[in-house]
Amino acid sequence: MTAQPRIERTTSTCPHDCPSVCALEVEVIDGATIGRVRGNPRHSYTAGVVCAKVARYAERIHHPDRLTQPLIRTGPKGSGDFAPIGWDEALDRVAQAFKAAEAAHGPEAVWPYYYAGTMGLVMRDGINRLRHAKGYSGQFSTICTTLAWSGYVAGTGRLAGVDPREIAESDCVVIWGTNPVHTQVNLMTHVQAARKARGATVVVVDIYDNPTMRQADLALLLRPGTDGALACAVMHVLFRDGLADRDYMARYTDCPEELEAHLKTRDPAWAAAITGLTIAEIERFAHLVGQTKNTFFRLGYGFARSRNGAAAMHAALCIPAVTGAWQHRGGGAFHSNSGVFGLNKRLIEGLDVVRPGTRMLDQSQIGRVLTGDPEALRHGPPVTAMLIQNTNPVSVAPEQELVKRGFARDDLFVCVHEQFMTETARMADLVLPATMFLEHDDLYTGGGQQHIQLGLKRIDPPALCRSNHEVIVALAERLGAEHPGFAMSPRALIDATLTASRRGSLAEMEGDGFLDVQPPYERAHFLDGFAYPDRRFRFRPDWSKVPVAQDGPRGPAMPPLPDHWEAPLMSATDDHPFRLATSPARNFLNSSFTETPTSLAKERHPTVMIHPEDAAPLGIGEGAWVRLSNERGAVTLRATLFAGLRRGVLIAESIWPNDAYPDGRGINTLTGADAPAPFGGAAFHDNHVAIAALPSGQEAGFSSHGVARPPLCGRGVSASNGRA
């Protein structure tokens, strides 16, 4: 008789770069493998819900193409020729390369590079401890949050907002510039609760008819980059029709009279011509939010991923300050709670050994850095050695052709610590196999809610996989780097961090696995004042001094008050008349999950959406092979005809691996790395391109999925660029 498997249900935290940071219930089978993954019903934000891609995580953690042994390159870079190597020899070689780079050019020639493939603080951020202890080049992390956070904090002075669980107490919910059905499904749980209990009206503002927009009572389909015009026209109507809360503004804002005068000419007719909306749609939206005081503005990242993104975020955020929605339960705004956790990461990141004056290199400009651009290098030495964890820049970074050229340098040593053989790993000299989240201990926070959460080891990894922490500690020993954090286990680092932050202890948190740190109602609604010295919301921010993490002002001067701003490089040209946005796909998380069978089957192959009226004169039919091009390069993929976007707009849901395209060029071939105002960032939804049908017969030899060459060891990634 066959013995039944022993199934234990335990808790964890999703490690991926989604604002929801779901609390999980995980089935562990016979102590060795995982089964079903569910949302934890005892967690008040997750509320028992988890996205489909994480629910099938067993496909990923037990994938046959997962990296399970250290590898050394034996052929040309990018060839995929690797041979097994022992861990000690591999780590010795990394240390030797780092020492050689430092001897030749100084410590800044070494650039540890990472991002959010895991959101665990120990495994993600521990690389900074090695960086700081050795004086290696710093990383200015611009690829995800810089534009959005700058725009939000410009108004509030603090990266925080209304408790997102208050959505359930709202009578109107505005989902602006985010597609949570694809990217943060838990948000929709709370939206549906408001609908069911209160009959709440749901407004969605976006640039294409996506699954979230299809659930809206009022769907506002904009031209990309015109959110500021919509916000200004809404505020014009609020002032014009007596719906602005003048008492609230007098108490809590900086210059309401100046704003009102500025908006006199920004009426709905003006905005309709810019946005593509009708005057009636704008008037309806304005009256809805003006008359529904407990309107909750859920402001996403998507609409900030344009060169005017920070200004657009700020303009939308100004609306609840004009209506006074912040005063009401279920009203106000929320973008991210990343500023509420108050964790002291000195031990994790080695913040006590930071060397003043060490140069900061822009994460988004990795292509320029690696190809020797003097300005990108801050006029310092070349980067000749790298350790890469938790990210896949050859796929996700802008200016992909430059990135590839940089990684192909013979004088650049690269060690990639990964879970799958990504495009970046394929370009490495050494590839080290990494653990996954259920195979190590870590501590998590996330912007989309308000809990500090644990994710503890539940199963053993494949025998030769090592955690990020283990690799950093082993390299520190070989490099002579000194810091108390190198001598601590992940559990010890978690406990010490919680204790130093006055957030209890590991033992206290192990019971539930999470700690709710939501600020009091008055603080979350800024009823005790906004986070500027005068306690007032800024309609007129000083953009050069917005209190966010930054490396100094960049880009052109920004408009002083909310406005529609055509930032430089945004406008279409005769040669490149279409606007391309690379919005997130439902079954991928940036370049994560692109190796799992179900996600691949559901997404099928890379496509670009084009309006039928744009396609017809170009001779583009459904499923036709097309080429997108601009001054940065060209990408070949299939077209799909879709009327749910404005004419002149293209949507390519991403990020597919580069080898899913016939010529090996991924969608970020077309994305720029110029630094938008005020502090840089990556404008992933702001690319102007040409589109053309491929000449008949040119597609010969393409497979049904458009893949011209098979991946080396699966196309998987553990990386994320944080686009939500």
Side-chain angles (χ1 to χ4, degrees), residues 333-377:
F334 180 82
H335 169 64
S336 172
N337 249 344
S338 295
V340 309
F341 297 106
L343 291 179
N344 180 340
K345 296 199 291 181
R346 178 184 64 84
L347 283 168
I348 291 175
E349 294 200 46
L351 299 177
D352 51 336
V353 292
V354 173
R355 302 186 187 189
T358 301
R359 70 173 174 185
M360 299 288 289
L361 300 178
D362 189 332
Q363 171 192 36
S364 298
Q365 295 188 344
I366 183 173
R368 301 184 187 190
V369 168
L370 295 185
T371 53
D373 181 291
E375 186 173 340
L377 286 165

Side-chain angles (χ1 to χ4, degrees), residues 409-484:
R409 282 171 39 205
D410 288 331
D411 67 329
L412 174 67
F413 173 86
V414 176
C415 174
V416 173
H417 186 204
E418 255 294 2
Q419 297 165 350
F420 291 90
M421 184 60 76
T422 65
E423 288 92 353
T424 306
R426 191 179 284 121
M427 298 297 293
D429 298 282
L430 283 167
V431 179
L432 307 178
T435 53
M436 293 193 188
F437 78 106
L438 291 167
E439 301 164 347
H440 56 237
D441 299 315
D442 217 333
L443 182 69
Y444 299 87
T445 62
Q449 39 129 324
Q450 59 286 305
H451 291 85
I452 300 171
Q453 298 175 202
L454 286 177
L456 300 180
K457 181 179 178 180
R458 301 306 185 192
I459 61 174
D460 289 329
L464 293 180
C465 291
R466 295 190 185 180
S467 73
N468 289 5
H469 177 73
E470 290 175 289
V471 169
I472 294 301
V473 168
L475 287 177
E477 181 179 6
R478 287 165 169 81
L479 292 164
E482 296 182 355
H483 190 274

Side-chain angles (χ1 to χ4, degrees), residues 158 252 520-531 535:
R158 183 173 71 240
Y252 285 101
Y521 175 87
E522 291 76 13
R523 183 168 172 79
H525 284 254
F526 294 98
L527 298 181
D528 56 353
F530 290 88
R535 314 304 290 168

